Amino acid sequence: MDTLSKTQIESELAARLPSYKVTCTLHADGTLSAVLSGPDTDNFAITGIVRAHYHGAEAIARLANEILREMVLSRQAMRSDRMHAPPACASYEPGRDR
């Protein structure tokens, strides 16, 4: 089966991820990058997608699931980082190292 075109991939992903505008870029090495722009400046980018691994509707559904999983993992990591961020140093004095 032929590899899907950029337009086909964008429309298939957009149909499966309806709250996001999907913009894809094809690269000379045969990989694909996808930028998903959602509501309230919620953006997510994924690069290095090997297009040759995704043929047909079933594979596009798998790609959409993989992207969703990466989005969830990324958000969980961001929340975790925020929860464990060091407190701001309110008593900082320039020139004082200790």
Side-chain angles (χ1 to χ4, degrees):
M1 187 181 280
D2 291 330
T3 302
L4 295 173
S5 71
K6 172 185 174 252
T7 305
Q8 289 170 313
I9 294 169
E10 285 176 339
S11 62
E12 291 292 328
L13 288 176
R16 287 171 172 76
L17 305 165
S19 10
Y20 288 88
K21 177 181 180 264
V22 179
T23 306
C24 293
T25 304
L26 301 180
H27 304 284
D29 64 357
T31 62
L32 170 85
S33 297
V35 176
L36 290 81
S37 303
D40 302 322
T41 66
D42 181 23
N43 296 310
F44 187 80
I46 186 163
T47 61
I49 301 167
V50 180
R51 284 177 52 226
H53 294 173
Y54 300 96
H55 298 285
E58 186 176 306
I60 288 294
R62 188 176 79 241
L63 176 60
N65 286 335
E66 291 170 5
I67 290 172
L68 284 171
R69 192 175 7 211
E70 289 297 324
M71 291 170 74
V72 168
L73 291 172
S74 175
R75 286 187 182 123
Q76 287 175 345
M78 286 173 34
R79 277 191 216 117
S80 177
D81 286 348
R82 281 189 214 129
M83 290 175 59
H84 296 100
C89 185
S91 62
Y92 173 75
E93 295 177 30
R96 186 173 176 187
D97 294 334
R98 294 178 189 94

